[in-house]
Amino acid sequence: MRTLAKQTVVDAVAAMCIDANRHLPEDVLASFARAKAAETLPAAREIFGQLEENAALAASTGLPLCQDCGLGVFFVEAGEGVRLSEGTLREAVNEGMVKGYKDGYLRKSTCDPFTRKNVGDNSPAIVHFDLVAGESLRICMMAKGGGSENMSRVMMLAPAQGWNGVREFVIRRVAESGSNPCPPILVGVGIGGNFELAAINSKKALMRDVDDVHPDPEVAAMEADLLASINRLGIGPMGLGGATTCLGVKIKVAPCHLASLPLAVNIQCHSARHKEVTL
């Protein structure tokens, strides 16, 4: 059994929150450069140039990439052989998130769903746990903004709708979203499982790198099909037209009940902020 100091987790999570909001992942930046080179519309090329400039300014000044610093979403793989020196892992992650948003001067967006009164510290952190073998702790963090999250959906399809039903729903969801999620977007798709697992898997899928190819050739083909179809919509960067509406589609599949076909679409904005650390 390995004992991990609680403060180690708190400090690591705080640093992740600050870093994620200031530094765009290299895979996302590389996809901007490729998309800008491929665009033929001057406005689309100009927008990609502005996105690159924004990322550079955020990195050099320490200011957030976007004024919406999002809710702190965490996927934690906890080894069964590791424990904290004090308190619970959920408490440590939440404390670290609060510290990061405070120390990094990041906008706090959590509020009461009815009164809309701001909680004040961006808590509680949204944490999903998986128990795994070993004595390590892997924490993946996503700063998820409201604009893209509002465009996300869960749908319980009839089994007979199959891939065609999935494909139609995903493309229609992006088309209906238009410029609202601040394209170019990333699209996470959860297929199977049940109502809540499909939603969780659609968000987990967004943790993959833009260039990551699914190991299952059939699923990889589905991702490529959806990406090409979405980009043919012509919504373009910031909704002003162009060849690049979507940077990547990532699918996560799970077995489901024979009477249902759960489907979740989680849309991520161009500021695809995510970090991970293993302790």
Side-chain angles (χ1 to χ4, degrees), residues 175-198:
E176 291 171 350
S177 298
S179 63
N180 289 308
C182 295
I185 57 174
L186 286 162
V187 180
V189 182
I191 303 173
N194 62 355
F195 185 88
E196 73 271 16
L197 184 58

Side-chain angles (χ1 to χ4, degrees), residues 10-70:
V10 171
D11 291 342
V13 169
M16 290 169 68
C17 291
I18 295 172
D19 195 34
N21 274 285
R22 292 179 178 174
H23 298 94
L24 205 58
E26 289 299 322
D27 61 310
V28 178
L29 282 171
S31 70
F32 285 178
R34 290 195 302 268
K36 182 173 71 171
E39 287 286 357
T40 58
L41 291 179
R45 290 198 301 271
E46 171 64 22
I47 290 169
F48 275 114
Q50 291 177 4
L51 295 181
E52 291 174 326
E53 181 182 6
N54 180 74
L57 285 170
S60 64
T61 63
L63 295 172
L65 288 154
C66 177
Q67 81 279 1
D68 182 353
C69 298

Side-chain angles (χ1 to χ4, degrees), residues 118-255:
N118 198 294
V119 173
D121 60 5
N122 219 49
S123 67
I126 299 170
V127 191
H128 305 284
F129 292 100
D130 284 313
L131 280 176
V132 298
E135 296 183 342
S136 65
L137 187 66
R138 180 171 177 252
I139 305 173
C140 299
M141 182 269 176
M142 175 186 292
K144 194 63 164 66
S148 59
E149 192 76 347
N150 288 346
M151 297 299 104
S152 304
R153 296 289 187 274
V154 176
M155 180 68 180
M156 302 300 289
L157 298 179
Q161 290 179 264
W163 167 243
N164 287 335
V166 169
R167 185 178 185 277
E168 179 185 351
F169 185 86
V170 174
I171 296 170
R172 184 171 70 248
R173 178 82 295 268
V174 175
E176 291 171 350
S177 298
S179 63
N180 289 308
C182 295
I185 57 174
L186 286 162
V187 180
V189 182
I191 303 173
N194 62 355
F195 185 88
E196 73 271 16
L197 184 58
I200 291 171
N201 281 343
S202 70
K203 188 161 287 181
K204 271 188 176 181
L206 291 173
M207 294 291 189
R208 290 167 50 196
D209 284 351
V210 174
D211 299 325
D212 182 54
V213 177
H214 200 285
D216 184 328
E218 290 187 5
V219 179
M222 293 176 186
E223 292 178 344
D225 178 24
L226 285 172
L227 178 61
S229 298
I230 289 170
N231 281 330
R232 281 196 291 269
L233 293 172
I235 295 170
M238 293 300 161
L240 297 179
T244 312
T245 298
C246 181
L247 300 173
V249 177
K250 307 301 175 186
I251 296 175
K252 189 170 177 60
V253 181

